[in-house]
Amino acid sequence: MLIAGVLLCLLWCRRREAFDSVKGAWGTVICAGALLAGHHLAFYEAVNHIPLGAVATIEFLGPFVIALAGSRRAVDLLPALLAVGGVLLLSGGGVPLAPAGLALAAVAACCWAGYILVSSRMARRISGGQGLALAVLWAGLLSAPYGVAHAGSALLDPHVLAVAALVAVSASVLPYSSNLEALRRIPPRAFGVLTSMEPAAGALFGFLLLGQRLAWPQWLGIAAVACASVTTTFLGAGERRNSRASAEGKPSHTTLSSREESTPAEAPVE
């Protein structure tokens, strides 16, 4: 986190004028950094207890709840029930999952959901990436005592620093920069839905790189959570189309068809 924060600051905060855009938004930046630190500490500690795929699936429930938060229709309960069923399959279907790991993954989910909401506000209030850079640097400073207490001087090992730099770029600098730009263009609800492949990707990387295996019911649970997200996407798209049609005063396709069937055609004007 510290390496990622330094790299982002070198990219976005090289000039003194860069800090002018952050004025009035320091509270948002500090809150985003604190949530990011909490997410990282909980996420990586959870991976020490349960497989990466399970952690990624539970963590995904944070943005998934955001995706469902704006729904007001009974039909939107379908993806919610599908996601709950997926989590039940994941937690009780085959490979035992430690309760501590599940609890830490749930904390990571809450922090990630909060970060999405706060960083969306930060993206609207700060035009460049200065806010993100300072938030990540603050998250690194908050995380540093925990890392020093657990690893001590091993953090200064050249191999550890090299791997940490690689992880900083691939897991923080690039994705968080992309996330920020996405949140400038789409609402948090849509952003949460579009991350639906994260659980499957986490399970796949956990299997290929870490040798973490899951039983087939748990893979089915991961698929259920991803399908719940896709279902939410389609339901949300239909809701937005209906809302736009109502706002413009245009009848829906069904209403128009029934009106055309019930009203006789007028004779053409000669």
Side-chain angles (χ1 to χ4, degrees):
M1 291 298 295
L2 279 173
I3 293 173
V6 170
L7 291 175
L8 284 168
C9 285
L10 289 175
L11 179 64
W12 290 105
C13 303
R14 290 176 294 179
R15 298 180 180 179
R16 187 185 182 93
E17 294 80 7
F19 292 92
D20 294 337
S21 62
V22 187
K23 290 181 179 179
W26 280 106
T28 303
V29 170
I30 291 173
C31 185
L35 288 167
L36 204 55
H39 166 265
H40 271 61
L41 292 177
F43 184 92
Y44 287 112
E45 279 297 333
V47 175
N48 283 334
H49 294 82
I50 60 177
L52 177 61
V55 178
T57 302
I58 296 172
E59 179 217 25
F60 173 72
L61 294 179
F64 180 75
V65 170
I66 294 176
L68 287 176
S71 302
R72 298 178 178 85
R73 302 173 301 169
V75 70
D76 291 316
L77 292 176
L78 175 63
L81 293 174
L82 190 60
V84 170
V87 172
L88 291 176
L89 282 172
L90 181 67
S91 59
V95 178
L97 300 180
L102 294 173
L104 286 166
V107 172
C110 294
C111 290
W112 187 236
Y115 173 75
I116 290 175
L117 295 175
V118 173
S119 62
S120 175
R121 182 180 180 184
M122 184 172 64
R124 293 192 301 269
R125 298 187 65 181
I126 304 174
S127 59
Q130 298 90 340
L132 173 65
L134 294 172
V136 174
L137 184 62
W138 174 237
L141 292 173
L142 290 177
S143 305
Y146 185 86
V148 171
H150 282 73
S153 60
L155 292 174
L156 301 178
D157 181 88
H159 176 72
V160 172
L161 289 174
V163 175
L166 178 63
V167 174
V169 173
S170 61
S172 294
V173 174
L174 292 178
Y176 290 146
S177 298
S178 300
N179 288 347
L180 188 70
E181 292 304 317
L183 286 167
R184 286 197 174 102
R185 293 165 171 80
I186 59 176
R189 183 175 185 269
F191 178 85
V193 170
L194 290 174
T195 59
S196 58
M197 293 308 296
E198 181 179 343
L204 182 61
F205 277 100
F207 173 73
L208 294 177
L209 300 181
L210 303 177
Q212 297 174 337
R213 297 180 179 274
L214 294 172
W216 70 266
Q218 293 170 313
W219 281 98
L220 186 61
I222 292 173
V225 173
C227 288
S229 177
V230 173
T231 303
T232 304
T233 304
F234 284 107
L235 291 176
E239 184 180 5
R240 286 191 295 273
R241 284 196 298 268
N242 291 336
S243 299
R244 284 197 298 268
S246 300
E248 296 172 359
K250 296 179 180 179
S252 64
H253 177 72
T254 304
T255 306
L256 183 60
S257 300
S258 60
R259 186 180 298 172
E260 289 175 350
E261 291 176 359
S262 60
T263 304
E266 297 181 356
V269 178
E270 295 182 354

